[in-house]
Every structure is written in C-alpha cells, then in structure tokens.
Amino acid sequence: MVSAAETYEAFNAHSNLVYRGFARIASNMYCREVSTSLVHVLKLQALKGGAYVPCWGVSLGFMPHTWKPKAKFHPSIKGSRLDLFERPKPIKRSKRELWEIGSISTLHGEQYMRETLHSMWLDYEATIMDWFSNVVDFERCLEVARMQASSADCDYDTHFPSPKLVYPFLLAKLGRMDEAKIELTRYCADHEDAQSFAELARVLCRAA
C-alpha cells in the first residue's frame, strides 16, 4: 500500500496547482485567494479503502465553522476550509480500463497509484478548473449555494456546513439582510436549537 505522504507528493507533482496560483497550505490542500474573504480551495480527500478523490470549492471568511457556544471564523488563507464545495461525480463509460476508477487507489503499489492518479486528474481537471473560473465572486457563490440547497442530490445533505446555512450568510454578505434572516430562521427551525439560532443570528449581521 502506498502511503498518504507519497500519494500527496505524487498529486502535487502531477496537478501542477502551484503554477496556477495556488499555495500549498497543507500536504493535501491548496488555496488561491480570489478577494477578501473568498478563497478557492482544492483538497485531496482520503476515503475508505485507500482511495483519494479531489474536493473543490470556496472558503468564506465570514462563514462560521462552529457556533456552539460561540461562533468562530477562518478569515486567513492558512485557515481556509471548504464552506461551499463539490465532490466528483462518477463518469460513465461504455468500456473501462482497470485504472479508470474515478479515484486514486493506493492498495496495489506505486505504479497502479500513479496510473489511477493520471486517470482521475484527466477525468476531473477541466471540471474543477471551469468551476473555479466561474465562481469568482459572492454572486456566483450564491448561485451555487442556491442550487445545492434546492437540489434533489442527497450528496449535498452530507456537506458541512450545509449549503442551506451558507446561503443566508451569502445573502447577508450581498446586503440582502431581510432575505438572509428569513432563510436562517427556516434552516435553524429544522436543524438548530434556540441557543445556536441566537448565536448564528448574531453573527449573521457581521457578514454584511
């Protein structure tokens, strides 16, 4: 089995993200500052069974990552988190080679790891870079959050933070505070207790 450290180094060399303006802030995480409080993030996520896949999205400096008992934020690029993000969707093929599995596999030695890495990046590189090219301001982030929050894709239900919570914070950031309060109240009614609601409502105003 190939180690995580070796896999991350192989991905770093193959993806060339540092030549696209990304800083490598952790062994498996890359960030590129777009504007104040908006950072592009790509993370190579370890899964069960020795597999790795990329997750990509944005870190929002005004979005709390915890709010119990008090809200905490991550405004610096080194503290970036995936607040609004995507995971790769499987690609359908009529014929599939042994290494075309949609992820990096580390269970069968270095050569197979590199073959699956090459195949995975070939599958998703254009999709990831197109996403970053399109999501360059808070308006576009709001569109992504709205789409994810209303999607029937149950994968978005497993995201943390939920896009249904990111959505009101983006509304607040764009000065649409009345809508933001309505959406926050709707989210908290189903997912948070009264204390958490009060704290989220308090910091929502800070996003503006």
Side-chain angles (χ1 to χ4, degrees):
M1 182 173 179
V2 181
S3 70
E6 291 175 286
T7 303
Y8 294 147
E9 289 305 319
F11 177 76
N12 181 60
H14 187 78
S15 65
N16 286 320
L17 287 169
V18 293
Y19 296 106
R20 292 175 166 175
F22 284 84
R24 190 181 184 189
I25 66 165
S27 59
N28 65 331
M29 191 167 171
Y30 301 79
C31 295
R32 180 174 64 189
E33 189 169 24
V34 181
S35 61
T36 303
S37 295
L38 177 57
V39 177
H40 285 162
V41 179
L42 188 147
K43 183 178 183 179
L44 193 61
Q45 184 71 51
L47 305 177
K48 292 181 179 179
Y52 295 80
V53 297
C55 297
W56 62 95
V58 293
S59 180
L60 304 168
F62 52 86
M63 183 70 211
H65 56 261
T66 185
W67 45 90
K68 296 179 181 180
K70 294 293 183 181
K72 295 181 180 179
F73 301 85
H74 42 279
S76 71
I77 190 168
K78 288 186 177 181
S80 295
R81 293 168 174 256
L82 284 164
D83 291 315
L84 192 64
F85 61 97
E86 300 284 351
R87 296 186 178 107
K89 302 292 191 295
I91 294 176
K92 295 181 180 179
R93 291 184 173 90
S94 57
K95 184 179 179 181
R96 184 182 297 272
E97 301 292 347
L98 289 175
W99 54 84
E100 293 177 337
I101 59 175
S103 62
I104 302 171
S105 175
T106 61
L107 294 181
H108 306 292
E110 182 181 351
Q111 182 61 35
Y112 188 68
M113 180 273 287
R114 292 186 181 279
E115 289 173 347
T116 56
L117 164 57
H118 176 80
S119 173
M120 179 277 291
W121 194 237
L122 190 65
D123 282 347
Y124 300 123
E125 179 183 14
T127 297
I128 293 169
M129 294 306 155
D130 285 348
W131 195 95
F132 285 139
S133 295
N134 288 324
V135 184
V136 293
D137 56 36
F138 297 124
E139 289 283 2
R140 299 307 295 269
C141 290
L142 183 68
E143 292 176 16
V144 174
R146 182 189 296 115
M147 180 278 293
Q148 291 187 359
S150 61
S151 175
D153 186 346
C154 61
D155 182 55
Y156 293 123
D157 293 336
T158 67
H159 285 199
F160 181 85
S162 168
K164 294 178 181 178
L165 179 58
V166 179
Y167 184 57
F169 275 85
L170 282 164
L171 285 169
K173 184 65 177 177
L174 291 166
R176 297 162 60 177
M177 189 57 70
D178 289 343
E179 295 171 78
K181 290 178 179 178
I182 291 171
E183 293 298 331
L184 180 65
T185 301
R186 179 178 291 125
Y187 172 80
C188 289
D190 294 330
H191 300 93
E192 301 292 343
D193 59 26
Q195 182 179 1
S196 295
F197 173 46
E199 178 64 4
L200 286 166
R202 181 184 72 82
V203 298
L204 184 71
C205 300
R206 289 180 48 178

